[in-house]
């Protein structure tokens, strides 16, 4: 194990610190090797290690300091090492062990870090997509229970239900609605104001119209940090509207919930205590390896009613009672497998446990503030420059900027293509109020302010060339 991981670790250090060619450009070098024949006789572990180490340089660029596309970043080292340790030392999150307990402790720490009440209890799953599915599944269970239907058992009983989310909400809300049998078209898309925040008057009208039609208003979804621009919906107002109409209140904080640590924007999260469920992805802003999100609810019994796989001989039959635990196979530990859609799952909590132990609340706050500063810096640089413009006042760590020209949309589409091809910066794009924007999201712990300035300079230099035709 040591030889194996040591060898891989050494190569990963090289990977992170040496200049590389983009893997798409070197495809002929690796594609043929990856696509070899399925061997009848295996090559043996040593040969595979050789091959693996040789292929590491052809990984993607998500861990690069200039990678700012979407909402994703490479993992920091401590949680990566911690996760690797957990994969061996506790390959399952269940059964009594230090790692099973870290699951619960880290969920409690994470709730506290993100300003959630100490009554909020969580469960991990693989990412924001599944975390939203679990939260909305809890909401569906609860809303139908209010009309006397156990939806997990009986199905939706012919009564239509609707979910309300802004036009800027992440599309995993629609996908969750599809998976939950509510239906994508029953996610009412509520328009936003000029700051990409949900229009609460329009929300109210939409719910009232549904109620008049006999549709059950299941859930109001707020986003704390939209994926497009980092906007934060007015949570208190949403919570009050949800309560008024007897809906579940879910907040998707997959990306932006940790933004609450920055005192300058903390007030935007006012009303967070009204949530019934809320999600956050440690694999986004907290630097964990991809594959971890948390769903928090006030009472996990609702998730149990929505998602339990029900007792089975092959599982619960093995356990003794809670107060007679002598060996680790006597008890499941906390029964996370009944609070979501996964039974087998890695002990992911160790990632969050280790990051928060490494940085503490202060260190994590510093990181979040630095990232928000970077979005502000790029926005300022764009505002100061006569030929750049900023399309948003960022709440969080996403900036939306562009080169200003007569045909801005086309020029900036071309500009982004050239930035990706000719520089080491990798922002992605979005559309703000109909206008094409270059959109870096700063959650990458390996980024520097100098690189942010470099992007602004590259935009001017390449934009000037394009404008000159
Ligand atoms: C990224 C994101 C998701 C989806 O999360 P995954 O971990 O990619 O599945 C959901 N909601 C928001 C707001 C996001 O930014």
């Amino acid at each position: 194990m040591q030889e194996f991981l040591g060898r891989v670790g050494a190569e990963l250090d090289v990977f992170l610190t040496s200049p590389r060619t983009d893997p798409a450009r070197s495809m002929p070098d690796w594609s043929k090797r990856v696509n070899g024949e399925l061997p009848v006789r295996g090559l043996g572990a040593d040969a595979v290690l050789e091959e693996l180490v040789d292929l590491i340089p052809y990984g993607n660029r998500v861990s690069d300091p200039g990678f700012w596309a979407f909402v994703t970043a490479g993992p920091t080292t401590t949680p990566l090492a911690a996760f690797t340790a957990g994969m061996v030392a506790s390959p399952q999150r269940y059964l009594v062990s230090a790692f099973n307990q870290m699951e619960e402790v880290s969920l409690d720490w994470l709730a506290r870090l993100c300003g959630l009440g100490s009554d909020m209890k969580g469960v991990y799953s693989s990412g924001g997509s599944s975390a939203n599915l679990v939260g909305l599944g809890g909401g569906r269970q609860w809303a139908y229970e209010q009309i006397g239907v156990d939806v997990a058992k009986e199905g939706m009983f012919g009564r239509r239900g609707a979910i309300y989310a802004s036009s800027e909400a992440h599309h995993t809300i629609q996908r969750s609605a599809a998976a939950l049998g509510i239906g994508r078209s029953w996610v009412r898309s509520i328009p936003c104001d000029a700051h990409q925040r949900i229009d609460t008057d329009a929300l109210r009208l939409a719910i009232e119209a549904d109620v008049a039609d006999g549709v059950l208003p299941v859930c109001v979804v707020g986003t704390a940090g939209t994926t497009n621009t980092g906007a934060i919906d007015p949570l208190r107002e949403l919570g009050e509207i949800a309560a008024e109409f007897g809906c579940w209140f879910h907040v998707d904080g997959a990306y932006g919930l940790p933004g609450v640590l920055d005192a300058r924007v903390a007030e935007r999260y006012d009303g967070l205590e009204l949530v019934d469920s809320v999600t956050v992805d440690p694999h986004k802003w907290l630097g964990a390896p991809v594959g971890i999100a948390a769903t928090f609810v006030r009472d996990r019994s609702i998730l149990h009613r929505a998602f339990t796989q029900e007792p089975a001989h092959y599982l619960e039959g093995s356990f003794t009672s809670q107060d007679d635990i002598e060996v680790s196979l006597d008890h499941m530990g906390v029964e996370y497998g009944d609070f979501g859609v996964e039974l087998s799952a890695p002990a992911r909590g160790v990632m969050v446990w280790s990051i928060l132990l490494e940085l503490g609340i202060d260190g994590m706050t510093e990181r979040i503030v630095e990232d928000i500063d970077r979005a502000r810096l790029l926005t300022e640089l764009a505002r100061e420059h006569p030929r750049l413009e900023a399309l948003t006042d960022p709440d969080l760590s996403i900036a939306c900027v562009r080169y200003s020209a007569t045909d801005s949309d086309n020029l900036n589409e071309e500009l982004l293509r050239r930035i990706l091809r000719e520089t080491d910066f990798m922002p992605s794009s979005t559309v703000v109020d109909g206008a094409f924007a270059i959109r870096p999201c700063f959650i990458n712990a390996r980024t520097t302010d100098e690189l942010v300035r470099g992007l602004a300079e590259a935009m001017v230099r390449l934009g000037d060339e394009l404008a000159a035709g």
Side-chain angles (χ1 to χ4, degrees):
M1 191 76 75
Q2 184 169 8
E3 195 194 323
F4 235 82
L5 291 180
R7 194 64 211 288
V8 169
E11 202 57 38
L12 289 175
D13 279 336
V14 174
F15 178 84
L16 288 175
T17 52
S18 319
R20 288 179 299 127
T21 314
D22 187 284
R25 292 190 204 277
S26 55
M27 203 156 150
D29 295 344
W30 48 262
S31 179
K32 240 174 135 168
R33 286 170 70 174
V34 173
N35 278 308
E37 291 282 317
L38 167 65
V40 176
R41 284 184 61 168
L43 312 181
D46 289 340
V48 174
L49 180 61
E50 284 299 309
E51 189 66 6
L52 177 68
V53 160
D54 277 359
L55 287 170
I56 285 176
Y58 305 120
N60 69 25
R61 291 175 58 189
V62 173
S63 288
D64 285 9
F67 189 94
W68 304 315
F70 320 125
V71 186
T72 193
T76 55
T77 306
T78 309
L80 181 67
F83 187 61
T84 309
M87 292 290 272
V88 178
S90 275
Q92 290 278 6
R93 64 181 161 182
Y94 53 69
L95 305 183
V96 176
S97 80
F99 289 83
N100 175 263
Q101 199 160 324
M102 279 179 214
E103 204 82 352
E104 191 71 352
V105 170
S106 66
L107 282 161
D108 289 346
W109 285 1
L110 186 57
R112 209 180 124 204
L113 183 83
C114 294
L116 305 177
S118 56
D119 56 335
M120 297 299 276
K121 287 286 172 194
V123 58
Y124 288 121
S125 58
S126 64
S129 304
S130 51
N132 279 333
L133 175 67
V134 168
L136 292 172
R140 184 188 67 157
Q141 184 68 23
W142 181 87
Y144 278 84
E145 282 179 3
Q146 305 314 299
I147 57 166
V149 176
D150 176 355
V151 82
K153 199 167 174 186
E154 304 163 54
M156 288 186 22
F157 229 68
R159 175 89 183 264
R160 278 282 174 201
I163 291 175
Y164 308 85
S166 91
S167 53
E168 293 284 301
H170 197 275
H171 288 179
T172 51
I173 303 299
Q174 278 82 351
R175 183 166 59 188
S176 298
L180 290 166
I182 289 171
R184 288 171 193 270
S185 60
W186 295 84
V187 177
R188 309 301 194 193
S189 178
I190 311 297
C192 289
D193 66 13
H195 300 285
Q196 295 80 44
R197 299 178 192 130
I198 192 167
D199 176 340
T200 49
D201 292 334
L203 169 64
R204 206 176 262 288
L205 290 176
I207 302 179
E208 279 166 0
D210 276 342
V211 170
D213 283 348
V215 174
L216 181 69
V218 171
C219 178
V220 169
V221 177
T223 307
T226 61
T227 317
N228 277 331
T229 68
I232 301 165
D233 283 333
L235 302 182
R236 178 166 300 284
E237 242 184 295
L238 290 187
E240 285 167 2
I241 292 171
E244 181 184 331
F245 289 96
C247 305
W248 187 261
F249 178 34
H250 176 78
V251 167
D252 179 357
Y255 154 49
L257 198 65
V260 73
L261 289 168
D262 186 335
R264 300 169 299 180
V265 290
E267 69 181 35
R268 291 235 175 275
Y269 294 80
D270 174 52
L272 206 48
E273 75 277 10
L274 302 177
V275 299
D276 296 305
S277 56
V278 53
T279 56
V280 57
D281 286 13
H283 71 206
K284 285 183 169 167
W285 217 344
L286 303 187
V290 164
I292 178 169
T295 306
F296 291 98
V297 292
R298 201 156 286 110
D299 174 6
R300 280 188 297 212
S301 71
I302 188 74
L303 296 184
H304 192 277
R305 297 201 293 284
F307 291 113
T308 181
Q309 63 154 10
E310 314 236 287
H313 293 307
Y314 50 77
L315 212 59
E316 282 82 352
S318 314
F319 301 132
T320 53
S321 77
Q322 179 90 40
D323 31 62
D324 185 24
I325 301 170
E326 240 182 81
V327 295
S328 56
L329 193 52
D330 279 340
H331 197 262
M332 267 303 237
V334 178
E335 294 181 49
Y336 299 109
D338 277 324
F339 299 146
V341 291
E342 298 166 313
L343 175 55
S344 285
R348 303 178 178 100
V350 66
M351 297 191 257
V352 171
W353 180 86
S354 66
I355 297 166
L356 296 183
L357 215 48
E358 178 192 0
L359 297 181
I361 298 174
D362 287 353
M364 191 53 78
T365 302
E366 243 169 67
R367 202 182 263 176
I368 299 291
V369 168
E370 258 178 22
D371 284 333
I372 293 180
D373 277 345
R374 287 185 182 126
R376 291 180 177 199
L377 171 64
L378 184 62
T379 301
E380 263 166 47
L381 291 171
R383 294 236 156 98
E384 281 164 9
H385 196 281
R387 295 189 298 289
L388 296 183
E389 58 185 331
L391 301 183
T392 57
D393 282 311
D395 279 336
L396 299 179
S397 66
I398 294 173
C400 294
V401 293
R402 63 184 197 163
Y403 188 91
S404 40
T406 36
D407 186 10
S408 280
D409 281 357
N410 284 327
L411 185 141
N412 281 281
E413 278 177 42
E414 190 51 34
L415 175 57
L416 178 60
R417 279 174 57 84
R418 288 196 57 183
I419 289 170
L420 298 180
R421 278 159 184 69
E422 297 171 32
T423 76
D424 288 332
F425 309 117
M426 298 198 107
S428 52
S429 67
T430 192
V431 172
V432 180
D433 264 339
F436 182 88
I438 292 174
R439 174 207 163 279
C441 172
F442 302 107
I443 55 168
N444 184 334
R446 294 187 174 85
T447 290
T448 63
D449 290 354
E450 208 174 308
L451 286 169
V452 178
R453 290 202 177 83
L455 173 63
E457 281 158 26
M459 285 179 67
V460 172
R461 179 170 54 81
L462 296 172
D464 283 350
E465 278 181 37
L466 287 167

PDB file of all heavy atoms in Angstrom, residues 309-333:
ATOM      1  N   GLN A 309     -35.328   1.820   3.505  1.00  0.00           N
ATOM      2  CA  GLN A 309     -35.420   0.645   2.622  1.00  0.00           C
ATOM      3  C   GLN A 309     -36.151  -0.473   3.343  1.00  0.00           C
ATOM      4  O   GLN A 309     -36.332  -1.539   2.781  1.00  0.00           O
ATOM      5  CB  GLN A 309     -34.044   0.218   2.153  1.00  0.00           C
ATOM      6  CG  GLN A 309     -33.113  -0.240   3.254  1.00  0.00           C
ATOM      7  CD  GLN A 309     -32.053  -1.205   2.750  1.00  0.00           C
ATOM      8  OE1 GLN A 309     -31.907  -1.377   1.538  1.00  0.00           O
ATOM      9  NE2 GLN A 309     -31.357  -1.841   3.650  1.00  0.00           N
ATOM     10  N   GLU A 310     -36.587  -0.209   4.584  1.00  0.00           N
ATOM     11  CA  GLU A 310     -37.300  -1.180   5.400  1.00  0.00           C
ATOM     12  C   GLU A 310     -36.337  -2.272   5.878  1.00  0.00           C
ATOM     13  O   GLU A 310     -35.375  -2.592   5.191  1.00  0.00           O
ATOM     14  CB  GLU A 310     -38.472  -1.814   4.637  1.00  0.00           C
ATOM     15  CG  GLU A 310     -39.304  -0.783   3.915  1.00  0.00           C
ATOM     16  CD  GLU A 310     -40.759  -0.829   4.297  1.00  0.00           C
ATOM     17  OE1 GLU A 310     -41.438  -1.768   3.873  1.00  0.00           O
ATOM     18  OE2 GLU A 310     -41.217   0.087   5.018  1.00  0.00           O
ATOM     19  N   PRO A 311     -36.603  -2.816   7.063  1.00  0.00           N
ATOM     20  CA  PRO A 311     -35.706  -3.826   7.630  1.00  0.00           C
ATOM     21  C   PRO A 311     -35.564  -5.032   6.708  1.00  0.00           C
ATOM     22  O   PRO A 311     -36.503  -5.390   6.001  1.00  0.00           O
ATOM     23  CB  PRO A 311     -36.400  -4.230   8.934  1.00  0.00           C
ATOM     24  CG  PRO A 311     -37.331  -3.107   9.247  1.00  0.00           C
ATOM     25  CD  PRO A 311     -37.735  -2.522   7.942  1.00  0.00           C
ATOM     26  N   ALA A 312     -34.389  -5.616   6.717  1.00  0.00           N
ATOM     27  CA  ALA A 312     -34.150  -6.815   5.903  1.00  0.00           C
ATOM     28  C   ALA A 312     -33.343  -7.802   6.720  1.00  0.00           C
ATOM     29  O   ALA A 312     -32.503  -7.410   7.522  1.00  0.00           O
ATOM     30  CB  ALA A 312     -33.387  -6.436   4.634  1.00  0.00           C
ATOM     31  N   HIS A 313     -33.603  -9.090   6.493  1.00  0.00           N
ATOM     32  CA  HIS A 313     -32.905 -10.120   7.269  1.00  0.00           C
ATOM     33  C   HIS A 313     -31.401 -10.036   7.118  1.00  0.00           C
ATOM     34  O   HIS A 313     -30.660 -10.260   8.055  1.00  0.00           O
ATOM     35  CB  HIS A 313     -33.381 -11.510   6.832  1.00  0.00           C
ATOM     36  CG  HIS A 313     -34.806 -11.782   7.188  1.00  0.00           C
ATOM     37  ND1 HIS A 313     -35.258 -11.626   8.474  1.00  0.00           N
ATOM     38  CD2 HIS A 313     -35.868 -12.144   6.437  1.00  0.00           C
ATOM     39  CE1 HIS A 313     -36.564 -11.898   8.498  1.00  0.00           C
ATOM     40  NE2 HIS A 313     -36.955 -12.198   7.264  1.00  0.00           N
ATOM     41  N   TYR A 314     -30.959  -9.694   5.890  1.00  0.00           N
ATOM     42  CA  TYR A 314     -29.517  -9.718   5.645  1.00  0.00           C
ATOM     43  C   TYR A 314     -28.813  -8.573   6.344  1.00  0.00           C
ATOM     44  O   TYR A 314     -27.607  -8.509   6.381  1.00  0.00           O
ATOM     45  CB  TYR A 314     -29.223  -9.680   4.143  1.00  0.00           C
ATOM     46  CG  TYR A 314     -29.943  -8.577   3.398  1.00  0.00           C
ATOM     47  CD1 TYR A 314     -29.508  -7.266   3.453  1.00  0.00           C
ATOM     48  CD2 TYR A 314     -31.078  -8.870   2.661  1.00  0.00           C
ATOM     49  CE1 TYR A 314     -30.189  -6.275   2.794  1.00  0.00           C
ATOM     50  CE2 TYR A 314     -31.760  -7.883   1.997  1.00  0.00           C
ATOM     51  CZ  TYR A 314     -31.313  -6.580   2.062  1.00  0.00           C
ATOM     52  OH  TYR A 314     -31.988  -5.577   1.417  1.00  0.00           O
ATOM     53  N   LEU A 315     -29.594  -7.627   6.897  1.00  0.00           N
ATOM     54  CA  LEU A 315     -28.961  -6.461   7.497  1.00  0.00           C
ATOM     55  C   LEU A 315     -29.251  -6.406   8.992  1.00  0.00           C
ATOM     56  O   LEU A 315     -28.462  -6.837   9.810  1.00  0.00           O
ATOM     57  CB  LEU A 315     -29.494  -5.208   6.804  1.00  0.00           C
ATOM     58  CG  LEU A 315     -28.548  -4.024   6.688  1.00  0.00           C
ATOM     59  CD1 LEU A 315     -27.297  -4.419   5.931  1.00  0.00           C
ATOM     60  CD2 LEU A 315     -29.244  -2.893   5.950  1.00  0.00           C
ATOM     61  N   GLU A 316     -30.444  -5.935   9.329  1.00  0.00           N
ATOM     62  CA  GLU A 316     -30.753  -5.708  10.742  1.00  0.00           C
ATOM     63  C   GLU A 316     -30.704  -6.982  11.563  1.00  0.00           C
ATOM     64  O   GLU A 316     -30.494  -6.936  12.774  1.00  0.00           O
ATOM     65  CB  GLU A 316     -32.127  -5.036  10.907  1.00  0.00           C
ATOM     66  CG  GLU A 316     -32.108  -3.555  10.609  1.00  0.00           C
ATOM     67  CD  GLU A 316     -32.190  -3.239   9.123  1.00  0.00           C
ATOM     68  OE1 GLU A 316     -32.108  -4.171   8.304  1.00  0.00           O
ATOM     69  OE2 GLU A 316     -32.328  -2.058   8.784  1.00  0.00           O
ATOM     70  N   GLY A 317     -30.878  -8.115  10.903  1.00  0.00           N
ATOM     71  CA  GLY A 317     -30.814  -9.385  11.598  1.00  0.00           C
ATOM     72  C   GLY A 317     -29.488  -9.572  12.330  1.00  0.00           C
ATOM     73  O   GLY A 317     -29.405 -10.277  13.331  1.00  0.00           O
ATOM     74  N   SER A 318     -28.444  -8.905  11.835  1.00  0.00           N
ATOM     75  CA  SER A 318     -27.114  -9.079  12.412  1.00  0.00           C
ATOM     76  C   SER A 318     -26.892  -8.266  13.674  1.00  0.00           C
ATOM     77  O   SER A 318     -25.896  -8.451  14.355  1.00  0.00           O
ATOM     78  CB  SER A 318     -26.050  -8.633  11.403  1.00  0.00           C
ATOM     79  OG  SER A 318     -26.326  -9.142  10.133  1.00  0.00           O
ATOM     80  N   PHE A 319     -27.806  -7.320  13.958  1.00  0.00           N
ATOM     81  CA  PHE A 319     -27.495  -6.364  15.015  1.00  0.00           C
ATOM     82  C   PHE A 319     -28.124  -6.721  16.346  1.00  0.00           C
ATOM     83  O   PHE A 319     -29.228  -7.233  16.408  1.00  0.00           O
ATOM     84  CB  PHE A 319     -27.936  -4.962  14.596  1.00  0.00           C
ATOM     85  CG  PHE A 319     -27.269  -4.523  13.332  1.00  0.00           C
ATOM     86  CD1 PHE A 319     -27.998  -3.976  12.294  1.00  0.00           C
ATOM     87  CD2 PHE A 319     -25.902  -4.681  13.174  1.00  0.00           C
ATOM     88  CE1 PHE A 319     -27.377  -3.590  11.122  1.00  0.00           C
ATOM     89  CE2 PHE A 319     -25.273  -4.297  12.007  1.00  0.00           C
ATOM     90  CZ  PHE A 319     -26.014  -3.752  10.965  1.00  0.00           C
ATOM     91  N   THR A 320     -27.402  -6.367  17.392  1.00  0.00           N
ATOM     92  CA  THR A 320     -27.960  -6.519  18.730  1.00  0.00           C
ATOM     93  C   THR A 320     -28.561  -5.168  19.133  1.00  0.00           C
ATOM     94  O   THR A 320     -28.543  -4.220  18.373  1.00  0.00           O
ATOM     95  CB  THR A 320     -26.869  -6.920  19.736  1.00  0.00           C
ATOM     96  OG1 THR A 320     -25.814  -5.980  19.609  1.00  0.00           O
ATOM     97  CG2 THR A 320     -26.356  -8.311  19.473  1.00  0.00           C
ATOM     98  N   SER A 321     -29.046  -5.092  20.346  1.00  0.00           N
ATOM     99  CA  SER A 321     -29.719  -3.856  20.736  1.00  0.00           C
ATOM    100  C   SER A 321     -28.695  -2.765  21.042  1.00  0.00           C
ATOM    101  O   SER A 321     -27.531  -3.031  21.317  1.00  0.00           O
ATOM    102  CB  SER A 321     -30.609  -4.099  21.945  1.00  0.00           C
ATOM    103  OG  SER A 321     -29.788  -4.168  23.083  1.00  0.00           O
ATOM    104  N   GLN A 322     -29.178  -1.553  20.975  1.00  0.00           N
ATOM    105  CA  GLN A 322     -28.384  -0.345  21.151  1.00  0.00           C
ATOM    106  C   GLN A 322     -27.486  -0.381  22.396  1.00  0.00           C
ATOM    107  O   GLN A 322     -26.359   0.068  22.375  1.00  0.00           O
ATOM    108  CB  GLN A 322     -29.352   0.844  21.268  1.00  0.00           C
ATOM    109  CG  GLN A 322     -28.706   2.190  21.488  1.00  0.00           C
ATOM    110  CD  GLN A 322     -28.410   2.878  20.166  1.00  0.00           C
ATOM    111  OE1 GLN A 322     -29.187   2.828  19.233  1.00  0.00           O
ATOM    112  NE2 GLN A 322     -27.265   3.521  20.098  1.00  0.00           N
ATOM    113  N   ASP A 323     -28.010  -0.974  23.489  1.00  0.00           N
ATOM    114  CA  ASP A 323     -27.240  -0.911  24.737  1.00  0.00           C
ATOM    115  C   ASP A 323     -26.426  -2.175  25.018  1.00  0.00           C
ATOM    116  O   ASP A 323     -25.996  -2.418  26.132  1.00  0.00           O
ATOM    117  CB  ASP A 323     -28.166  -0.600  25.929  1.00  0.00           C
ATOM    118  CG  ASP A 323     -29.546  -1.169  25.722  1.00  0.00           C
ATOM    119  OD1 ASP A 323     -29.667  -2.415  25.609  1.00  0.00           O
ATOM    120  OD2 ASP A 323     -30.492  -0.374  25.602  1.00  0.00           O
ATOM    121  N   ASP A 324     -26.202  -2.954  23.981  1.00  0.00           N
ATOM    122  CA  ASP A 324     -25.388  -4.149  24.170  1.00  0.00           C
ATOM    123  C   ASP A 324     -24.356  -4.251  23.048  1.00  0.00           C
ATOM    124  O   ASP A 324     -24.245  -5.258  22.374  1.00  0.00           O
ATOM    125  CB  ASP A 324     -26.295  -5.390  24.182  1.00  0.00           C
ATOM    126  CG  ASP A 324     -25.518  -6.657  24.505  1.00  0.00           C
ATOM    127  OD1 ASP A 324     -24.454  -6.548  25.150  1.00  0.00           O
ATOM    128  OD2 ASP A 324     -25.965  -7.736  24.094  1.00  0.00           O
ATOM    129  N   ILE A 325     -23.618  -3.147  22.863  1.00  0.00           N
ATOM    130  CA  ILE A 325     -22.664  -3.114  21.758  1.00  0.00           C
ATOM    131  C   ILE A 325     -21.283  -3.506  22.262  1.00  0.00           C
ATOM    132  O   ILE A 325     -20.697  -2.825  23.095  1.00  0.00           O
ATOM    133  CB  ILE A 325     -22.591  -1.709  21.136  1.00  0.00           C
ATOM    134  CG1 ILE A 325     -23.972  -1.308  20.620  1.00  0.00           C
ATOM    135  CG2 ILE A 325     -21.576  -1.665  20.011  1.00  0.00           C
ATOM    136  CD1 ILE A 325     -24.073   0.134  20.212  1.00  0.00           C
ATOM    137  N   GLU A 326     -20.795  -4.618  21.769  1.00  0.00           N
ATOM    138  CA  GLU A 326     -19.475  -5.060  22.206  1.00  0.00           C
ATOM    139  C   GLU A 326     -18.487  -5.087  21.058  1.00  0.00           C
ATOM    140  O   GLU A 326     -17.319  -4.804  21.219  1.00  0.00           O
ATOM    141  CB  GLU A 326     -19.599  -6.448  22.821  1.00  0.00           C
ATOM    142  CG  GLU A 326     -19.152  -6.469  24.273  1.00  0.00           C
ATOM    143  CD  GLU A 326     -19.232  -7.865  24.845  1.00  0.00           C
ATOM    144  OE1 GLU A 326     -18.309  -8.673  24.609  1.00  0.00           O
ATOM    145  OE2 GLU A 326     -20.239  -8.131  25.509  1.00  0.00           O
ATOM    146  N   VAL A 327     -18.984  -5.448  19.878  1.00  0.00           N
ATOM    147  CA  VAL A 327     -18.110  -5.431  18.695  1.00  0.00           C
ATOM    148  C   VAL A 327     -18.785  -4.575  17.620  1.00  0.00           C
ATOM    149  O   VAL A 327     -19.999  -4.338  17.659  1.00  0.00           O
ATOM    150  CB  VAL A 327     -17.838  -6.852  18.138  1.00  0.00           C
ATOM    151  CG1 VAL A 327     -17.054  -7.654  19.149  1.00  0.00           C
ATOM    152  CG2 VAL A 327     -19.120  -7.534  17.746  1.00  0.00           C
ATOM    153  N   SER A 328     -17.977  -4.128  16.672  1.00  0.00           N
ATOM    154  CA  SER A 328     -18.480  -3.130  15.725  1.00  0.00           C
ATOM    155  C   SER A 328     -19.613  -3.644  14.842  1.00  0.00           C
ATOM    156  O   SER A 328     -20.390  -2.871  14.303  1.00  0.00           O
ATOM    157  CB  SER A 328     -17.340  -2.599  14.870  1.00  0.00           C
ATOM    158  OG  SER A 328     -16.694  -3.672  14.223  1.00  0.00           O
ATOM    159  N   LEU A 329     -19.720  -4.945  14.696  1.00  0.00           N
ATOM    160  CA  LEU A 329     -20.811  -5.480  13.884  1.00  0.00           C
ATOM    161  C   LEU A 329     -22.114  -5.616  14.683  1.00  0.00           C
ATOM    162  O   LEU A 329     -23.127  -6.066  14.165  1.00  0.00           O
ATOM    163  CB  LEU A 329     -20.388  -6.833  13.265  1.00  0.00           C
ATOM    164  CG  LEU A 329     -21.252  -7.426  12.156  1.00  0.00           C
ATOM    165  CD1 LEU A 329     -21.528  -6.447  11.030  1.00  0.00           C
ATOM    166  CD2 LEU A 329     -20.642  -8.691  11.594  1.00  0.00           C
ATOM    167  N   ASP A 330     -22.082  -5.196  15.949  1.00  0.00           N
ATOM    168  CA  ASP A 330     -23.302  -5.244  16.759  1.00  0.00           C
ATOM    169  C   ASP A 330     -24.296  -4.162  16.374  1.00  0.00           C
ATOM    170  O   ASP A 330     -25.469  -4.241  16.706  1.00  0.00           O
ATOM    171  CB  ASP A 330     -22.966  -5.074  18.251  1.00  0.00           C
ATOM    172  CG  ASP A 330     -22.487  -6.387  18.869  1.00  0.00           C
ATOM    173  OD1 ASP A 330     -22.771  -7.452  18.281  1.00  0.00           O
ATOM    174  OD2 ASP A 330     -21.810  -6.327  19.913  1.00  0.00           O
ATOM    175  N   HIS A 331     -23.817  -3.119  15.723  1.00  0.00           N
ATOM    176  CA  HIS A 331     -24.713  -1.985  15.479  1.00  0.00           C
ATOM    177  C   HIS A 331     -24.312  -1.236  14.210  1.00  0.00           C
ATOM    178  O   HIS A 331     -23.138  -1.163  13.871  1.00  0.00           O
ATOM    179  CB  HIS A 331     -24.663  -1.028  16.681  1.00  0.00           C
ATOM    180  CG  HIS A 331     -25.823  -0.078  16.724  1.00  0.00           C
ATOM    181  ND1 HIS A 331     -25.729   1.208  16.254  1.00  0.00           N
ATOM    182  CD2 HIS A 331     -27.101  -0.241  17.165  1.00  0.00           C
ATOM    183  CE1 HIS A 331     -26.913   1.802  16.415  1.00  0.00           C
ATOM    184  NE2 HIS A 331     -27.753   0.944  16.962  1.00  0.00           N
ATOM    185  N   MET A 332     -25.303  -0.679  13.522  1.00  0.00           N
ATOM    186  CA  MET A 332     -25.076   0.085  12.299  1.00  0.00           C
ATOM    187  C   MET A 332     -24.377   1.408  12.569  1.00  0.00           C
ATOM    188  O   MET A 332     -23.896   2.053  11.660  1.00  0.00           O
ATOM    189  CB  MET A 332     -26.431   0.464  11.676  1.00  0.00           C
ATOM    190  CG  MET A 332     -27.006  -0.472  10.645  1.00  0.00           C
ATOM    191  SD  MET A 332     -25.924  -0.736   9.268  1.00  0.00           S
ATOM    192  CE  MET A 332     -26.936  -0.247   7.916  1.00  0.00           C
ATOM    193  N   GLY A 333     -24.412   1.886  13.809  1.00  0.00           N
ATOM    194  CA  GLY A 333     -24.103   3.293  14.024  1.00  0.00           C
ATOM    195  C   GLY A 333     -25.336   4.062  13.560  1.00  0.00           C
ATOM    196  O   GLY A 333     -26.421   3.490  13.435  1.00  0.00           O
TER     197      GLY A 333
END
